[in-house]
Structures are given as C-alpha cells and as structure tokens.
Amino acid sequence: MVREIDVWFTMGSTYTYLTVMRLPQVERECGITFRWRPFHLNTILQEMKHVPFRDKPTKSAYMWRDITRRATLYGLAPKLPVPYPSKNSAHANRIASLGLEQGWGRDFVRASYRRWFEHGDPNGEEPNVSETLRAIGQDAARVIELAERPEREQVLVAETDAARSLGIFGSPTFSFGSELFWGDDRLEDAIAWATRGTLARG
Amino acid sequence: MVREIDVWFTMGSTYTYLTVMRLPQVERECGITFRWRPFHLNTILQEMKHVPFRDKPTKSAYMWRDITRRATLYGLAPKLPVPYPSKNSAHANRIASLGLEQGWGRDFVRASYRRWFEHGDPNGEEPNVSETLRAIGQDAARVIELAERPEREQVLVAETDAARSLGIFGSPTFSFGSELFWGDDRLEDAIAWATRGTLARG
C-alpha cells in the first residue's frame, strides 16, 4: 500500500521553511509520499480572529531563535530574523499551486524560501517571485499571468475550504486520514502514525 | 558539573500535564536536575493580550487530540477533554510554590494534574485542592491558609517577573542559561542542549 501524507502550507509561514527544505530527504528515507497542498491560511486565521506573532515581540524573538536552532540541526543556515510577515503570501500560494500542477512547484517553493530566509527577500514579493521563477527556468511574466487568473484563485479557495473542513489552523500541517499534526516538529510524529498508527518510533 | 534545567510552569496549563507526569523518569534517565518553578503565566499572557485557545474551538479540538496521542506515547491515560480553563490556577500555583519549598510540591502538582486530567476536576478548584492535599498527607486547611498569605503571592510575583525577564510566554518552558525551550515537546531538545550545546541527539 502506498502511504500518502498531505502537507498543508502557506508561503507566508515561517516554520514551513524548515519543512520544505528537509522534506525531499525525509521522503526518500521514510518511503512515504508527501502531497504538497498550498492553501490560504490567512483566510482561516482571520476567521479565527488570530494572527500569530503580530504585536508579540517576545514570542517572535523566541520563534526566530527556535527556527535558527532547528535549522542548524537540519544542516540549514538561515540568516534570521527576516522581514515578516510577507505582504503577499497569497500570490506566492497561487504560483506554488500552479507550479505543483506543472511539475516545478517544489523547486519554486524551496528556492523562494531560500531567498526569503537566507537573503531577506520575502515570499510573494518582488524581486523574490520573478527571480525565483527565472532561477528555476520558468518564464516569470507568463507564470505570474497564469497564476493571477481567477481559476487559480478558485483552486486555492477550494483547498482552503478542504483545510478548514479538516480542522487545520496552522502551517505546516501534516494530515493522514483525519489525523492532524501541526508544526514542522510534528513531521516525525506524522510519519510514525502513518507507518504504525502510533507516535512511537519504530 | 551538575547541570540544571529550570521548568517554568503554571498549574493552569494543559500541556504541562504531560511534562509533570513524565519528568521524574526523564530526570532519572538523563542525569540532569530539574528545578520546578511555578509562575503566573496568566499575568504575562494578559500583558501580551493573548489567551491561548479561548474562543478557538478548532485549535482546542486539536490540542486535546494532540495531548491524548502524546499521553499514550508516555503511558498515560487521560480522559479528555476536561473542563478548561481552570478558574483559579493562581491558587494552585501558590500551593505548588509552597509545596516545592516544603518538599511535597512535586507530589502535589502531579496528583493535582491526575485529578484534573483523569477525573475532570480542575487544578486550583475544589474539591481538587483539598482532596489532593489530603491524598499526599498534607493538612489541607493549614496549607491553604499558608498559601494564601501575602508573602506567598510575593514569591509568585517575583518568579513571574523572572520568567518575563527571560522572555517566557508559555507553559511549560524549559530554560538553560538564556536558552528557552517552549512546550512539552521541547523537553528532549532542552536536555540535548544542556548536555551537548546542540539539538542533535547523542
């Protein structure tokens, strides 16, 4: 049986950097297929009247330190803090969604996050979007035009509805059946659950 | 060198149940001393204008499921959800603080959490407080009278000030020097850091 875990994420999320950077290696090692599903988390957070980290300098300081420590564990070297929140993560979500359909989505997401977390240029903003697309061999103007067509936003709205129905309220969230695992630090839990139906490691 | 990790907690916290229940065994296994430090997290959350989980049914549902899964991993069997928030966790913090000075604090905290998470009787409320004290061999009336003296609250205020100075905003938080690790799921990280200065496991 092929096991699949859905990875729900928004390009505006900070901790998602850790996940998208380490996921290809994790996927090779665990034999599970991960389905990348961008959605508009901001829509759900606004419905919940919750904006994480805004006006919370103490919590934000902890977040950057926590991400830095964990990035080191994963062999990554971000330069934090970086500008946050990104002003147009919805735009980046639409491009990621298009790219995942067309086969270059994972490259886009990872390269875009590198630009944000290692060079300070936020996801969804320029020059990040155009330069990332060019760097992965895409026609930036053409992709942006396609991504901003109404039908792409319809895909995002449908995916956001699906996320809401599952009870998702954060990014990244891993889902396996009806079980949710919220946060990059729950990736190993999700894998254990999908593999053995328990959090215990093999 | 004796390594010490401070465990900052409030008796009103849900995830703290996992920590206080598993900490004695963890302490025996890792050779690190844990200093239990109750503080009034609510004071800090109110200053941050942040009340976790209130009016957030989706996030609350996830929290109970997440705690249940992790409790199973630790060999615990809570019956969740339980009434939350507790109405007088500050009272329980004061009793825990007194008990930790007098040598019965850990027993009180653990027994009180068992009553809350396994029998639905919240920390800080009656009959939890009196019955827990009696169950661990303390004179409930005498302890409550001592715990409600102004000097005990002064200890809590000082500890809350110390927590705020460190940048603490959640329970449990593990601190080692200036490094903070927030959440029961960061306990192993805190131990790794205190032992080897990295998150990598030995």
Side-chain angles (χ1 to χ4, degrees):
Chain A
M1 188 183 76
V2 177
R3 289 194 184 82
E4 262 196 355
I5 292 176
D6 284 351
V7 185
W8 301 85
F9 69 100
T10 172
M11 295 290 287
S13 155
T14 53
Y15 279 96
T16 297
Y17 163 74
L18 297 172
T19 298
V20 300
M21 297 314 293
R22 72 194 185 100
L23 208 43
Q25 186 182 342
V26 168
E27 191 164 32
R28 280 192 299 276
E29 290 170 358
C30 74
I32 289 175
T33 300
F34 289 90
R35 193 154 57 132
W36 294 33
R37 302 185 70 167
F39 72 108
H40 289 333
L41 174 62
N42 274 347
T43 303
I44 291 174
L45 292 180
Q46 282 160 13
E47 289 162 3
M48 292 171 68
K49 298 181 178 51
H50 179 56
V51 182
F53 304 114
R54 185 169 295 174
D55 303 324
K56 301 206 167 33
T58 303
K59 203 166 176 177
S60 295
Y62 175 79
M63 173 189 72
W64 296 121
R65 179 66 185 143
D66 189 43
I67 293 176
T68 299
R69 283 188 312 225
R70 300 189 77 81
T72 302
L73 180 66
Y74 302 145
L76 302 166
K79 292 181 187 146
L80 304 178
V82 288
Y84 176 82
S86 68
K87 295 186 187 71
N88 202 356
S89 57
H91 180 50
N93 287 342
R94 288 187 284 267
I95 294 174
S97 169
L98 178 70
L100 287 159
E101 265 182 32
Q102 297 191 345
W104 47 265
R106 296 185 182 203
D107 289 345
F108 171 76
V109 170
R110 288 160 51 84
S112 188
Y113 262 109
R114 271 201 191 280
R115 236 166 247 274
W116 186 14
F117 271 58
E118 296 169 19
H119 304 282
D121 182 15
N123 285 353
E125 299 184 21
E126 291 295 350
N128 184 319
V129 173
S130 295
E131 287 187 3
T132 301
L133 286 168
R134 275 191 284 273
I136 62 167
Q138 293 298 313
D139 179 336
R142 173 71 181 150
V143 164
I144 290 169
E145 191 272 322
L146 277 173
E148 290 306 309
R149 289 189 186 175
E151 54 265 38
R152 179 53 45 191
E153 179 60 12
Q154 284 168 14
V155 173
L156 265 298
V157 168
E159 286 292 271
T160 304
D161 288 345
R164 186 191 300 99
S165 295
L166 281 169
I168 288 172
F169 55 87
S171 172
T173 295
F174 309 100
S175 70
F176 181 76
S178 64
E179 292 286 340
L180 302 181
F181 300 87
W182 170 42
D184 175 74
D185 55 359
R186 291 292 199 275
L187 174 53
E188 284 70 23
D189 282 354
I191 291 168
W193 196 275
T195 307
R196 290 178 295 277
T198 164
L199 298 191
R201 304 300 184 257
Chain B
M1 188 183 77
V2 177
R3 290 194 184 82
E4 261 196 356
I5 291 175
D6 284 352
V7 184
W8 301 85
F9 69 100
T10 172
M11 295 291 287
S13 155
T14 53
Y15 278 95
T16 297
Y17 162 74
L18 296 173
T19 298
V20 301
M21 296 315 292
R22 71 194 185 100
L23 209 41
Q25 186 181 342
V26 168
E27 191 165 30
R28 280 192 300 275
E29 289 170 359
C30 74
I32 288 174
T33 301
F34 290 90
R35 193 154 58 131
W36 294 33
R37 301 185 70 168
F39 73 107
H40 289 334
L41 175 61
N42 274 348
T43 303
I44 291 174
L45 292 180
Q46 282 160 12
E47 289 161 3
M48 292 171 67
K49 299 181 177 50
H50 179 58
V51 182
F53 305 113
R54 184 170 297 173
D55 302 324
K56 300 205 167 35
T58 303
K59 203 166 175 176
S60 295
Y62 174 79
M63 174 188 73
W64 295 121
R65 179 66 186 142
D66 189 43
I67 293 175
T68 299
R69 285 188 310 226
R70 300 189 76 82
T72 303
L73 180 65
Y74 302 146
L76 302 166
K79 294 183 185 142
L80 304 179
V82 288
Y84 176 82
S86 67
K87 294 187 188 70
N88 202 356
S89 57
H91 180 50
N93 287 341
R94 287 186 286 267
I95 294 173
S97 169
L98 178 71
L100 286 160
E101 264 181 32
Q102 296 190 346
W104 47 265
R106 296 185 183 203
D107 289 343
F108 171 76
V109 170
R110 288 160 50 85
S112 188
Y113 263 108
R114 271 201 192 281
R115 236 166 246 274
W116 187 12
F117 272 58
E118 296 169 19
H119 305 281
D121 182 13
N123 285 353
E125 299 182 22
E126 290 296 350
N128 184 319
V129 172
S130 295
E131 287 188 3
T132 301
L133 286 168
R134 275 190 284 273
I136 63 167
Q138 294 298 313
D139 178 337
R142 171 73 181 147
V143 164
I144 290 169
E145 190 272 321
L146 277 174
E148 290 305 311
R149 288 189 187 176
E151 54 265 37
R152 180 53 46 191
E153 178 61 11
Q154 284 167 16
V155 172
L156 265 299
V157 168
E159 286 293 89
T160 304
D161 289 344
R164 187 191 299 102
S165 296
L166 281 169
I168 288 171
F169 56 86
S171 172
T173 295
F174 309 100
S175 71
F176 181 76
S178 63
E179 293 286 339
L180 302 180
F181 301 86
W182 171 42
D184 175 74
D185 56 0
R186 290 292 198 276
L187 175 53
E188 284 71 21
D189 282 354
I191 291 168
W193 195 274
T195 307
R196 290 178 297 275
T198 165
L199 298 192
R201 305 298 186 257

